[in-house]
Amino acid sequence: MPDRVTLTFLLGGARSGKSTHAEQLVTGFPAPWIYVATAQAFDGEMRGRISLHQSRRDKGWSTIEAPLDLAGALETMPTGTPVLVDCLTLWLSNQMLAENDVEAECARLAAVLAKPRGPWFVVSNEVGLGIVPDNPLARRFRDAAGRLNQQVAAVADSVLFVVAGLPMRVK
Amino acid sequence: MPDRVTLTFLLGGARSGKSTHAEQLVTGFPAPWIYVATAQAFDGEMRGRISLHQSRRDKGWSTIEAPLDLAGALETMPTGTPVLVDCLTLWLSNQMLAENDVEAECARLAAVLAKPRGPWFVVSNEVGLGIVPDNPLARRFRDAAGRLNQQVAAVADSVLFVVAGLPMRVK
Amino acid sequence: MPDRVTLTFLLGGARSGKSTHAEQLVTGFPAPWIYVATAQAFDGEMRGRISLHQSRRDKGWSTIEAPLDLAGALETMPTGTPVLVDCLTLWLSNQMLAENDVEAECARLAAVLAKPRGPWFVVSNEVGLGIVPDNPLARRFRDAAGRLNQQVAAVADSVLFVVAGLPMRVK
């Protein structure tokens, strides 16, 4: 189990089990736990995932939605409380859709993540291991996601690459 | 070398050398060996791979085709015989094309794989580490493949992630 | 740090930090260092990367462009000098665009890489971990890249899989 004030970064593919593994790590700490959802309400599946967490609120979870100002939301987290951020790639997608300054937002987020106030667990997708996408927007997103993942990995205490539900320790 | 009654799960990308590595592990055991092909006959390249295995039948291999009823085929495997299943993603693709109940079929397969009768080696593709596909069917396939890989990894004794022909031990 | 006459192969996704990590390994040796660029001049981003290396030439780097005859360029490398080849997937793409005999060129390259004359670091992309591409050319490229990566990994002394800027040792 990680120390009480650490950043653990979980990176994996679609349906790799990274969120479930992150949740297991979070709930290894005593409740209460905070789930920070970056999904926009219009994503049906993510809405389902948020609802699931909200329905379990009485079992120790509280849910915060932070589709854009994730850095701001993390700055208000209570000291010592386990936090699960799910996930950075959705947040990045929201930033790009909002036409925000992605580079500045990523730098701001990385600065906040570098100073966790409790055991923080951050989930992100690795999206750069396929063929170069035809679509220019997809290429921009892939490049931005890769850079963001590097920034977060650099400040994380532990980095796990999750494959088929199983973590490989990278850092 | 794994014990005689174990499930080894080999996961990797296209042309990662996962099948070749699996074959090396299988032939580390004394012959005879059984090759369970999930490919449909209409796939030219897979037909070639099946033919290769069939042509080597006299050298210790026998080949079984199980494009859909893989669970049933595995239940008939003789005790103690090394088996290579190549591969789960093709089998899943066949299930989806046949419009079978994918969730039920995956659960049934995982239940059989949880009780190997010899040194069993199962190969599958990791397909979730690229950009989200535009195509809805490809997204459904990607999600189903990720879930299946998690189910099989959960019951496997060993899980190897194969990169450029080299295995990384995940479990 | 690797010995003075070794081949280190760095494999990773787009924006995985593989080139930066390779550069750090190269500059762990005393200057001068040689940067072998496989990019064609018409790729804007790679032109930028080449320019960056060229502008640092006075700081220890010299740059050689080898978009096609990479094997020939490597055969002229001075003994004992650290070399960074960036990257094999661009080189492969150039070979396919030039309609050269890809199989023969890959075999020739692998033969040269099997006999490094100094600490050589070779960067390549893993592109086979997404969904099968719709595009037949992309599928051919993906297959050829996977085979090339296996060939190079087989002759390398060390193989690193780079995720979010962090190396995982595969060999």
Side-chain angles (χ1 to χ4, degrees):
Chain A
M1 174 158 320
D3 291 336
R4 288 201 66 86
V5 180
T6 52
L7 181 69
T8 301
F9 186 41
L10 297 105
L11 198 58
R15 307 290 158 213
S16 65
K18 56 194 185 306
S19 297
T20 302
H21 188 70
E23 200 174 308
Q24 287 168 359
L25 294 177
V26 169
T27 55
F29 290 91
W33 315 293
I34 299 173
Y35 179 81
V36 181
T38 59
Q40 300 277 38
F42 52 72
D43 178 322
E45 184 193 327
M46 288 311 292
R47 198 199 309 252
R49 193 174 285 195
I50 294 174
S51 297
L52 178 68
H53 274 277
Q54 284 173 333
S55 71
R56 295 192 296 184
R57 187 172 297 184
D58 55 337
K59 299 205 180 99
W61 286 97
S62 58
T63 302
I64 287 172
E65 296 188 29
L68 287 168
D69 189 15
L70 177 56
L74 288 169
E75 282 177 332
T76 69
M77 290 294 118
T79 306
T81 301
V83 171
L84 169 52
V85 177
D86 191 8
C87 70
L88 290 198
T89 25
L90 273 171
W91 170 83
L92 179 66
S93 173
N94 296 339
Q95 294 291 350
M96 288 178 72
L97 284 170
E99 301 190 356
N100 287 346
D101 179 340
V102 166
E103 204 173 321
E105 291 292 337
C106 287
R108 189 175 149 234
L109 177 61
V112 174
L113 289 174
K115 296 179 183 170
R117 302 161 167 241
W120 286 6
F121 297 83
V122 175
V123 172
S124 188
N125 279 72
E126 170 58 53
V127 298
L129 288 159
I131 279 289
V132 180
D134 292 332
N135 179 336
L137 180 61
R139 284 203 298 277
R140 269 184 54 215
F141 178 74
R142 188 170 84 140
D143 286 354
R147 287 196 196 97
L148 174 60
N149 287 340
Q150 286 188 55
Q151 283 177 285
V152 177
V155 299
D157 299 287
S158 308
V159 178
L160 305 175
F161 184 58
V162 182
V163 173
L166 302 166
M168 303 176 82
R169 182 167 292 275
V170 188
K171 179 181 179 180
Chain B
M1 175 160 320
D3 292 336
R4 287 201 67 86
V5 180
T6 52
L7 180 70
T8 301
F9 185 41
L10 298 103
L11 198 59
R15 306 293 157 212
S16 64
K18 56 196 185 305
S19 298
T20 303
H21 188 70
E23 200 173 309
Q24 287 168 358
L25 295 178
V26 169
T27 56
F29 290 90
W33 314 292
I34 299 175
Y35 179 80
V36 181
T38 60
Q40 301 276 39
F42 52 72
D43 178 323
E45 184 194 326
M46 289 310 293
R47 198 199 311 252
R49 192 174 285 195
I50 294 173
S51 296
L52 178 68
H53 274 276
Q54 284 174 333
S55 71
R56 294 190 297 184
R57 187 172 297 185
D58 55 337
K59 299 204 179 100
W61 285 99
S62 58
T63 302
I64 288 171
E65 297 188 29
L68 287 169
D69 189 16
L70 177 55
L74 288 170
E75 282 177 331
T76 69
M77 290 294 117
T79 306
T81 300
V83 170
L84 169 51
V85 177
D86 192 7
C87 67
L88 291 198
T89 25
L90 273 171
W91 171 83
L92 179 65
S93 172
N94 296 339
Q95 294 292 349
M96 288 178 72
L97 284 169
E99 300 189 357
N100 288 346
D101 179 340
V102 166
E103 204 173 323
E105 291 293 338
C106 287
R108 190 175 149 233
L109 177 61
V112 174
L113 290 174
K115 297 180 183 169
R117 302 160 168 240
W120 285 6
F121 297 84
V122 174
V123 173
S124 187
N125 279 71
E126 170 58 53
V127 298
L129 288 159
I131 279 289
V132 180
D134 292 332
N135 179 337
L137 181 61
R139 284 202 297 276
R140 268 185 54 214
F141 179 74
R142 188 171 83 140
D143 287 353
R147 286 196 197 96
L148 174 59
N149 287 340
Q150 286 188 54
Q151 283 177 285
V152 177
V155 300
D157 299 286
S158 307
V159 179
L160 305 175
F161 183 59
V162 182
V163 173
L166 302 166
M168 303 176 83
R169 181 166 293 275
V170 189
K171 179 181 180 180
Chain C
M1 176 160 320
D3 291 337
R4 288 202 67 87
V5 180
T6 52
L7 180 70
T8 301
F9 185 40
L10 298 103
L11 198 59
R15 307 292 159 213
S16 65
K18 57 196 185 304
S19 297
T20 302
H21 188 70
E23 201 174 307
Q24 287 167 0
L25 294 177
V26 170
T27 56
F29 290 89
W33 314 293
I34 298 174
Y35 179 80
V36 181
T38 60
Q40 300 275 39
F42 52 71
D43 179 321
E45 183 193 327
M46 288 311 293
R47 198 200 309 254
R49 193 173 284 195
I50 295 173
S51 297
L52 178 69
H53 274 277
Q54 284 173 334
S55 71
R56 296 191 296 186
R57 186 172 298 183
D58 55 337
K59 299 204 178 100
W61 286 97
S62 58
T63 302
I64 287 171
E65 296 187 29
L68 288 168
D69 189 16
L70 177 56
L74 288 169
E75 282 176 331
T76 69
M77 289 295 118
T79 306
T81 300
V83 170
L84 170 53
V85 177
D86 192 7
C87 69
L88 291 198
T89 24
L90 274 171
W91 170 82
L92 179 66
S93 173
N94 296 338
Q95 293 292 349
M96 288 178 72
L97 283 170
E99 300 189 357
N100 286 347
D101 180 340
V102 165
E103 203 173 324
E105 290 293 337
C106 288
R108 190 175 149 235
L109 177 61
V112 174
L113 289 175
K115 297 178 182 168
R117 301 161 167 240
W120 286 6
F121 297 83
V122 174
V123 173
S124 187
N125 279 71
E126 169 59 52
V127 298
L129 288 159
I131 279 287
V132 180
D134 293 332
N135 179 336
L137 181 60
R139 284 203 297 276
R140 269 185 54 215
F141 178 75
R142 188 170 83 139
D143 286 354
R147 286 196 197 96
L148 174 59
N149 287 340
Q150 286 188 53
Q151 283 177 286
V152 177
V155 300
D157 299 286
S158 308
V159 178
L160 304 175
F161 183 58
V162 182
V163 173
L166 302 167
M168 303 176 83
R169 181 167 292 275
V170 188
K171 180 183 180 179

